[in-house]
Amino acid sequence: EAQVTQNPRYLITVTGKKLTVTCSQNMNHEYMSWYRQDPGLGLRQIYYSMNVEVTDKGDVPEGYKVSRKEKRNFPLILESPSPNQTSLYFCASSFGRADTQYFGPGTRLTVL
Amino acid sequence: AQSVTQLDSQVPVFEEAPVELRCNYSSSVSVYLFWYVQYPNQGLQLLLKYLSGSTLVKGINGFEAEFNKSQTSFHLRKPSVHISDTAEYFCAVSVTPDDKIIFGKGTRLHILP
């Protein structure tokens, strides 16, 4: 089954404790993105990747890192999480920015 | 910077009535336009997209949208809504030569019995 998977689905952590949210897709997509969704703000793109080893900043990259060492995986790293990073995070993938994005189920992160 | 404006944060509509959800974008250059839907407690899925060609685009579940270049709009319409259309709807744009994708803030569609 074609899908985007994210782990964990729910995470409660404390300020400053490094964490990684994994994202994997099995559709051989080149383009992958991370978004955060906050009430009243819609989805905001954090980082995106056009292909392996190619990543670029979206609109809200501060406090986040990503890597794209393999085509299928695009982990999101929070080196020192802060409470303002409490949010719902979605990973998405597509063949390109003109193509349909397929979204993961979301990761709800709470930073205390 | 590019932006997407969804003019209504919430739209209540009676079942079987028509609905229009409005979307305007800021760019005057070549754009790709999308509407995504998010059902309660789920991820997003594509409703329809405009890349080029005919300005009237038909999507899933009876939705359609019209691209209007002069008004930089991409409004979503459905002639008769059903209770199952209750969801949040997001307009998104991708603008050349940038590779970013910008989403609007979303419109919650409430279907009234």
Side-chain angles (χ1 to χ4, degrees):
Chain A
E1 179 190 355
Q3 60 181 349
V4 178
T5 57
Q6 294 178 228
N7 283 292
R9 294 288 313 280
Y10 302 91
L11 179 59
I12 300 174
T13 189
V14 295
T15 299
K17 186 176 181 181
K18 181 179 178 180
L19 66 91
T20 299
V21 184
T22 64
C23 172
S24 184
Q25 50 95 3
N26 63 1
M27 295 169 278
N28 202 35
H29 285 162
E30 279 82 25
Y31 190 97
M32 296 187 75
S33 280
W34 275 104
Y35 297 92
R36 61 178 289 174
Q37 183 178 17
D38 302 289
L41 297 178
L43 274 80
R44 293 178 291 167
Q45 195 174 40
I46 302 170
Y47 270 94
Y48 61 95
S49 169
M50 294 294 290
N51 215 322
V52 176
E53 303 292 359
V54 180
T55 63
D56 212 339
K57 296 177 180 179
D59 280 343
V60 288
E62 295 77 20
Y64 304 94
K65 285 175 59 176
V66 293
S67 68
R68 188 93 182 271
K69 293 184 171 59
E70 304 166 284
K71 196 171 190 178
R72 63 183 293 129
N73 296 323
F74 190 45
L76 179 70
I77 303 155
L78 284 72
E79 295 262 357
S80 183
S82 63
N84 64 12
Q85 293 178 297
T86 292
S87 188
L88 179 59
Y89 291 86
F90 286 102
C91 180
S93 73
S94 62
F95 285 113
R97 63 180 182 85
D99 295 294
T100 302
Q101 288 193 90
Y102 292 86
F103 284 80
T107 295
R108 189 167 290 281
L109 173 65
T110 301
V111 183
L112 302 175
Chain B
Q2 304 305 326
S3 65
V4 176
T5 302
Q6 292 186 241
L7 296 161
D8 305 296
S9 59
Q10 297 192 63
V11 172
V13 62
F14 286 103
E15 198 168 11
E16 298 184 10
V19 69
E20 179 179 82
L21 306 183
R22 297 179 291 170
C23 174
N24 288 87
Y25 59 95
S26 62
S27 174
S28 60
V29 298
S30 179
V31 294
Y32 301 132
L33 295 157
F34 308 84
W35 275 100
Y36 284 86
V37 60
Q38 184 179 32
Y39 297 105
N41 300 313
Q42 293 187 29
L44 282 78
Q45 58 183 278
L46 183 75
L47 271 179
L48 48 80
K49 61 183 177 183
Y50 172 81
L51 303 182
S52 65
S54 173
T55 58
L56 183 63
V57 180
K58 293 191 183 297
I60 62 170
N61 300 340
F63 284 93
E64 63 181 33
E66 184 146 25
F67 170 59
N68 188 317
K69 188 174 182 178
S70 62
Q71 296 187 6
T72 60
S73 68
F74 190 54
H75 300 335
L76 180 71
R77 294 191 288 260
K78 185 170 182 177
S80 175
V81 297
H82 188 266
I83 195 75
S84 59
D85 294 321
T86 298
E88 189 159 20
Y89 293 80
F90 293 94
C91 181
V93 62
S94 180
V95 181
T96 56
D98 206 354
D99 292 315
K100 290 181 183 178
I101 297 173
I102 309 295
F103 277 78
K105 294 183 178 181
T107 298
R108 285 193 182 276
L109 180 61
H110 296 282
I111 310 300
L112 307 171

